[in-house]
Structure formats: C-alpha cells, structure tokens
Amino acid sequence: MTRTSHDYRSLLAQAGHFLDEATGAVTPPIHLSVTYARDGDYAPISEYFYTRYGNPSFTPVESLLARLDNGAAAMLFASGLAGMAALVELVQSGQHIVAPEVMYFGAQAWIKRIARTRNIGLTLYNQSQPGALEAAIRHGETAMVWVETPVNPTWEVIDIAAAAKAAHQAGAVLTVDSTVAPGVSQRPLDHGADYVFHSSTKYLNGHSDILGGVVVARETNARWYELEEVRRYSGGVMGPFEAWLLLRGMRTLAVRWDAVCANAMAVAEHFRSHPKIERVAYPGLPDDPGHAVAVQQMTGGFGGMLSLLLKGGYEAANTVARSTAMFIPATSLGGVESLIEHRAVVESPDSMTPGNLVRLSCGIEAAADLIADLEQALERV
Ligand SMILES: *Cc1c(COP(=O)(O)O)cnc(C)c1O
C-alpha cells in the first residue's frame, strides 16, 4: 500500500491501488512466480525468496488486513481452518485451552482433536452463561482463550474486553474469531484481544469463490515469528491468485457490509413477531440478549447473519430450509448471495445447536424479495 487514508472506506475502495508506470494498469498484477532470483553478488534481489515464505501478491492484502483490524501484522492462510490450526499449534502439551461450547463446528472439532492427541487440557464454556468463561480459565495453565462473537449459529455476543481481562490475568492469550464481523464493524484487538482470526472465505472476500484465512496480531512478538514458522513449514499458505481475488473482494467490503446489515435487520424485524416463529436471534434487535454488548463492540453494524427458531421444531426448520427459492440451501456465509441452512443436519450428532434453528446469511439482494421468499417458505410449515 503506497497510499495513506484515514477512513477505512477509502482504504478498502483503493485496496492495492496501483498505477503501473509502463502500462497505466490500475489494478495490480498477480505474482505467480514461486521462486525469486539472486543478483550478481548472490544477494536476494528483493525480500521474496520462495512463495511458501511469502509472495508479492500477499503483501498488499496482509498490510490492508492489519490496518483494518488495527493490528501490527497479518498473515494469510490457505483457509480459515489452516489459520486456526496454526494458532492452536502455539499451545504446548500440558497447557490448557478454553473454548466455547457452541462455535464454528470445524474449529471446535480441530481443537478437540489436538487436545486429545497432544495431551492439551480443554474446557468448553457455556457462552450464554455469565461468568462461565472466567470459571473455565486455569491460572498459569491456560495458554489460549478462544472466543467467537457473535457465536455461530446462535448469535450470542461475548464481551471481548471482559474475556481479554480474564485471559490476561491468568497469563493466557485471547484469540477472537471475528469472521462474521470484519474490521469494518468489530475490531477485537481494540478491546484487548491478542489475535483476531477471520475465515476470509466469508465477508472479507464476499463472493463465495475462494477459501482463505487470516490471523492479525496486536504485536509482532516472538509468538508471531513462531506463527510465521508454522505457516512456512506446515505449508498452509494461500495461493497468489486467491490473494489477488481477496484483495479485489475487499474493495467492496464496506458497501457489501452496509447492505447485508440492512437486509438482516429488515428480515429480523419482519419475522420477530411471526406466528410460526419462536424467536429471531440477531444482536441488532434492541431486545436481543446480546444487544447491549454488541452496541459497544460492533460499532459498524450487526452483520448479515441471523437465525430463526421455529415453533414447529426440527421438522418445521427442515421444511423452511427446503422451501426457499431465493435463499440458496447451502453452507457457508458472508457472500453477496443469500444462503439458508438447517444447521442440525450438517453439524455432528453431539452438536449443541437447537434442532428448530435455521441459519440465514443475508446477501445484498432487495430486502423485500428476501422477506417474501421466507414468507412463502413458512406457509409450507
Ligand atoms: C467458515 C468459518 C470458519 C472456517 O473457515 P474456512 O475458510 O472454511 O476454513 C471458521 N470460523 C467461522 C466463524 C466460520 O464461519
């Protein structure tokens, strides 16, 4: 990034802003080269050496992501879970991890596996019970506290500042999965988190066409260099083409975010008092249990994710998820197209997700079309 900007909207719109002196091209090239030559004195010509160590197409994306989250540095990974696995790699045998009972199920499955195979202690806390996170932390033993907020797919809101305080008092680091609330709204590092993690597959890219992950750190300390080593030698690097597409996707992040926030709010308000719906889970609703904390830490909007809990239980949820025409019945979230999912079907049998829950990822379509689509699906219940 050669330009400076004080507003994240301008920063994003001009992401990777580029003017090639030779051709006048206004978008950056993709650096596909895996390896980088040395000069006549056998010194490296640039900071690049081999793409598993870093690539010129990563650099503008990583610096943009670091600025968006107010961090010291960012690191791209091949997928969200590759980034998460690298973070968990920082925890040693005999230490302890604290993670939520309900969180992105793949991330939890990996933490459980690592805990089992590496003799790492693991306590899962009930994220909707005040004080449960604090009670799960073991002074001097807990190395990492994991928070996901809002919690997928129930959308409870965790107080990041309180979690940071509790983690730090015990000598642990706090990692926040902020995938569903990118830095245009929520900046966990500003509230005391040590790492913020995003699956860039979701809002950051926004077009459901690349996998990717990013870890942003508050400080570039010894642990950060260890994380670089993990990426370099475990090999979970993003491809240059994916990095380029991610940068392109991020140019429209601010406007996409505004559109999905408005759509989710319209859907939540419309269905909150629907006779077939027990509850709408969305932190943007003023009477949502997470609203007060969300106002403090989601300052740029409450996002595009919400869940409908149906009075008719599992069967009703399943019918709605199979009956929409505009909401596509598919997993994932954060794209320009709206998606619907009956989570109980796709999660593992021991998942804590209520059977009557359908998760919605609102895209950027017209709100009235999304509402009409859900209305007609509910008529089949
Ligand atoms: C999708 C997702 C992940 C995993 O990311 P991948 O890019 O699919 O590996 C982790 N956390 C949350 C909240 C997610 O939505």
Side-chain angles (χ1 to χ4, degrees), residues 185-266:
S185 180
Q186 175 170 285
R187 293 176 169 182
L189 303 179
D190 289 355
H191 301 283
D194 301 280
Y195 299 102
V196 54
F197 160 84
H198 302 272
S199 164
S200 60
T201 310
K202 315 294 171 52
Y203 288 106
L204 291 174
N205 177 58
H207 294 76
S208 307
D209 52 11
I210 48 166
L211 279 174
V214 59
V215 175
V216 188
R218 195 148 50 91
E219 285 174 39
T220 44
N221 51 20
R223 229 188 272 112
W224 179 255
Y225 296 111
E226 212 186 313
L227 196 69
E228 281 189 338
E229 190 178 70
V230 172
R231 181 179 75 167
R232 185 184 310 143
Y233 300 133
S234 69
V237 287
M238 186 177 267
F241 185 52
E242 282 75 9
W244 187 89
L245 276 175
L246 176 56
L247 191 66
R248 188 182 66 169
M250 287 179 71
R251 287 179 164 191
T252 55
L253 174 60
V255 287
R256 285 187 285 106
W257 181 253
D258 289 348
V260 301
C261 288
N263 278 350
M265 186 64 98

Side-chain angles (χ1 to χ4, degrees), residues 77-84 103-107 146 148-152 155 177-180 197-202 210-214 305 331-334 343 359:
F77 289 88
S79 68
L81 284 190
M84 197 220 62
M103 63 187 287
Y104 182 77
F105 78 109
W146 192 273
E148 181 182 315
T149 184
V151 181
N152 179 18
W155 316 117
D177 182 341
S178 199
T179 295
V180 297
F197 160 84
H198 302 272
S199 164
S200 60
T201 310
K202 315 294 171 52
I210 48 166
L211 279 174
V214 59
M305 299 304 299
T331 199
S332 199
L333 59 96
R343 289 296 294 177
R359 186 181 84 175

